[in-house]
């Protein structure tokens, strides 16, 4: 799968399942808002939960199917605060 990167403003964030980071992001290039998730965020060496205001993310595009809803989402592979 192709990987993309971009800088995003973080509108919302929370931990789900105690280790995954769920985000609502606004692209600084297109100003569009999209959901994103970083699986096993707290499993990464040295990772700790922190509030982000802006991030640089390497991601792939996916579809989230939950409770009959189908929404686009980004699966974040690498995340760095900006």
């Amino acid at each position: 799968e192709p990987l993309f990167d971009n800088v995003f403003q973080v509108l919302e964030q929370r931990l789900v399942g105690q280790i995954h980071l769920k985000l609502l992001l606004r692209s600084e290039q297109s100003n569009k808002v999209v959901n994103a998730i970083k699986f096993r965020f707290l499993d990464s060496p040295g990772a700790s939960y922190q509030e982000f205001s802006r991030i640089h993310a390497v991601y792939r595009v996916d579809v989230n199917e939950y409770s009959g809803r189908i929404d686009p989402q980004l699966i974040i592979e690498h995340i760095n605060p900006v």
Side-chain angles (χ1 to χ4, degrees):
E1 295 179 44
L3 293 175
F4 304 92
D5 77 301
N6 200 352
V7 174
F8 297 93
Q9 177 186 9
V10 178
L11 303 176
E12 296 175 14
Q13 72 181 60
R14 69 182 189 282
L15 284 177
V16 292
Q18 298 182 355
I19 61 169
H20 311 300
L21 183 62
K22 183 78 172 162
L23 303 143
L24 183 64
L25 304 174
R26 174 177 286 131
S27 169
E28 292 193 350
Q29 288 180 334
S30 68
N31 211 30
K32 293 190 181 202
V33 175
V34 65
N35 286 304
I37 191 162
K38 171 68 172 116
F39 289 111
R40 296 175 295 283
F41 175 71
L42 291 181
D43 279 351
S44 303
S48 62
Y49 184 76
Q50 60 183 340
E51 293 286 326
F52 297 116
S53 59
R54 290 177 68 229
I55 61 168
H56 177 247
V58 176
Y59 61 91
R60 55 191 166 88
V61 179
D62 195 30
V63 175
N64 182 17
E65 295 182 41
Y66 183 75
S67 295
R69 290 187 56 182
I70 299 173
D71 296 304
Q73 97 175 337
L74 308 181
I75 306 294
I76 297 177
E77 299 293 336
H78 302 282
I79 186 171
N80 288 312
V82 176

